[in-house]
Amino acid sequence: MTDTTEKPAQAVATKETRGTNQTGMRAQNERLVLTLIRRHGALAKAEIARLTGLSAQTVSVIMRSLEDEGLLLKGEPMRGKVGQPSVPMRLNPEGAYFLGLKVGRRSAEMILTDFLGQIIARRKQIYAYPDFSDVLAFSLDAVDKLRLSLPADQRPRIAGLGIAIPFQLWDWARMIGVEPGKMAAWQSRDLLVELSGALDMQVYLQNDATSACSAELVFGTGEQPANFLHVFIGFFIGGGVVLNGTLFTGPTGNAGAIGPMPVVDLGGKTRQLMDLASLVVLERRLTEAGLDSGMLWDSPEGWDVPETLLNEWTAEAANAIARAAHSAMSVIDFEAVKIDGWMPENLRNALVRDVRARFDGLDFTGLERPVVETGTVGADARSLGAASQPLLGRFLIGYTI
């Protein structure tokens, strides 16, 4: 008899990368210290030495350097029974800033975050389709305006720009509802190259769904499972993969691209997941009913969607996601499936409940049934994932392979 009881997701085991006391490795060790403090919160020097295997002297030198650079702040001394009080060190929110650009099928958005991942300011543009020149112009203007939102002495601390974008965007023209020629520029021009040439900062690029998964891994709250499938629902549905506590992107950066996965719909017909569990489906139904679908893209909250349409979409989407996750379990035994998206929180919670219920009707013989959880980042996951790229690229270790 198949056990359909959901098992609690296991937290990532503590397996911090060991440090080295050898000359020339300080940059790696500094990344290690910053990663530990980001994962565990404020830490004293003795605790960092214990976790890394570095000597107390080496840790002291690193901590002093990071403090001098403005990346760490001293906390209140913790007095024990014997010896000098220990002083925990924490990340300085103003230590570094990051820009994150999300390019979507209906909108582009750029955010500015601090060292802790808190969004300080944002700029947004809504459009019928992503025109390359318009997106480039918006991006350059947004960088200038977001820079100016910081005090003058803080602007040099912007450490880079990350881009979250659907790969092969030109292939999606007809599904977006425009002539392919209007998006052909995406095939001949490179946003990463053009922004890198125009800006005095390092620029990174990642698939948008993978970026959403990165945000959950880096900025998500609570204990994270060691292995999980991350599902993000936007204009189209996409996914990301975390293995052994590390974001796995694959050789082309497209691992977890579950949108094209074949699934059986509620009518028994085999279709692609993205044709059933994407917001474009809801947009089309609103348009067919003569209703305004633009509010879907204005904000992830406050949608005014007829309950009948919303319930129909949720039922079909939950069935499709459950079947896709069930198939994925045959390849990788994920401990959890995390579901997030550009949608109201109550809708996301209802979708998670429905996916759990759909699991009850699937045969998990020979498989471990994963926990189904709500993502903890929310609608900003793609933008935050974009901003996490320069954070990971310049300051942290151990999140990506």
Side-chain angles (χ1 to χ4, degrees):
M1 187 177 195
T2 303
D3 179 11
T4 59
T5 303
E6 292 200 0
K7 300 175 177 61
Q10 298 175 6
V12 178
T14 301
K15 52 167 192 174
E16 311 294 353
T17 304
R18 305 296 284 180
T20 174
N21 295 287
Q22 296 177 5
T23 304
M25 290 298 294
R26 197 184 78 170
Q28 176 74 1
N29 287 337
E30 287 180 348
R31 283 174 174 254
L32 175 56
V33 169
L34 290 171
T35 301
L36 282 167
I37 294 175
R38 170 152 206 95
R39 286 178 175 172
H40 299 285
L43 292 173
K45 295 175 185 177
E47 184 66 9
I48 289 174
R50 185 187 68 80
L51 289 168
T52 62
L54 295 170
S55 69
Q57 181 180 5
T58 298
V59 171
S60 292
V61 171
I62 292 170
M63 301 288 269
R64 189 178 308 116
S65 173
L66 293 174
E67 184 182 6
D68 290 343
E69 291 175 27
L71 298 175
L72 294 181
L73 294 174
K74 286 181 179 177
E76 293 296 322
M78 299 171 59
R79 300 187 180 277
K81 295 181 179 179
V82 181
Q84 295 293 321
S86 61
V87 180
M89 303 292 285
R90 59 186 175 86
L91 298 182
N92 179 7
E94 298 179 353
Y97 298 91
F98 310 97
L99 293 164
L101 170 65
K102 183 271 296 183
V103 179
R105 281 83 170 185
R106 287 288 186 259
S107 67
E109 181 178 57
M110 187 179 292
I111 62 171
L112 174 67
T113 74
D114 64 16
F115 204 20
L116 303 182
Q118 300 173 113
I119 298 175
I120 298 170
R122 70 174 79 215
R123 307 290 294 182
K124 186 174 182 178
Q125 181 183 64
I126 297 176
Y127 40 62
Y129 69 95
D131 175 85
F132 186 96
S133 295
D134 287 348
V135 170
L136 178 62
F138 162 78
S139 301
L140 294 173
D141 181 66
V143 169
D144 287 341
K145 286 185 168 59
L146 292 174
R147 263 181 170 156
L148 292 174
S149 69
L150 288 173
D153 64 333
Q154 294 293 306
R155 293 169 196 165
R157 288 188 172 271
I158 297 178
L161 165 67
I163 305 170
I165 187 170
F167 284 176
Q168 299 180 331
L169 192 54
W170 60 89
D171 279 342
W172 300 94
R174 292 199 183 279
M175 296 192 73
I176 293 174
V178 299
E179 289 298 318
K182 292 185 175 181
M183 292 177 59
W186 289 100
Q187 191 167 11
S188 58
R189 299 175 66 179
D190 190 319
L191 188 62
L192 173 65
V193 170
E194 296 197 28
L195 283 176
S196 296
L199 299 173
D200 57 346
M201 66 180 70
Q202 191 162 358
V203 184
Y204 306 75
L205 185 143
Q206 192 174 66
N207 175 271
D208 59 337
T210 303
S211 285
C213 183
S214 177
E216 179 68 32
L217 187 62
V218 177
F219 301 122
T221 59
E223 291 186 341
Q224 295 284 7
N227 306 281
F228 64 88
L229 173 66
H230 187 268
V231 177
F232 190 88
I233 303 163
F235 188 88
F236 289 119
I237 189 171
V241 174
V242 171
L243 300 177
N244 298 319
T246 301
L247 182 68
F248 178 75
T249 60
T252 66
N254 213 29
I258 59 175
M261 184 180 289
V263 295
V264 178
D265 66 16
L266 291 174
K269 181 180 178 181
T270 299
R271 300 169 65 185
Q272 289 187 320
L273 174 63
M274 62 185 175
D275 293 330
L276 298 167
S278 300
L279 291 182
V280 64
V281 179
L282 188 57
E283 180 189 63
R284 287 171 183 164
R285 291 180 181 177
L286 285 168
T287 302
E288 290 167 359
L291 301 172
D292 177 25
S293 62
M295 50 84 182
L296 294 179
W297 316 116
D298 290 336
S299 169
E301 298 292 340
W303 289 3
D304 184 17
V305 180
E307 188 174 355
T308 301
L309 287 181
L310 205 56
N311 289 343
E312 289 175 354
W313 178 84
T314 304
E316 192 70 80
N319 170 71
I321 293 169
R323 289 182 177 275
H326 183 258
S327 296
M329 291 297 298
S330 298
V331 181
I332 299 174
D333 54 343
F334 294 108
E335 298 159 42
V337 177
K338 288 178 168 265
I339 300 174
D340 218 331
W342 177 269
M343 62 182 65
E345 184 179 358
N346 62 338
L347 176 58
R348 187 167 62 248
N349 292 338
L351 189 61
V352 168
R353 288 195 300 269
D354 283 5
V355 171
R356 290 171 180 160
R358 290 289 172 183
F359 267 6
D360 291 339
L362 298 177
D363 186 358
F364 279 89
T365 301
L367 303 174
E368 288 290 329
R369 175 170 169 163
V371 175
V372 182
E373 301 176 341
T374 304
T376 62
V377 178
D380 287 321
R382 291 167 297 179
S383 301
L384 280 167
S388 77
Q389 294 173 48
L391 169 63
L392 292 166
R394 295 192 58 179
F395 295 98
L396 306 181
I397 61 173
Y399 282 99
T400 61
I401 56 175

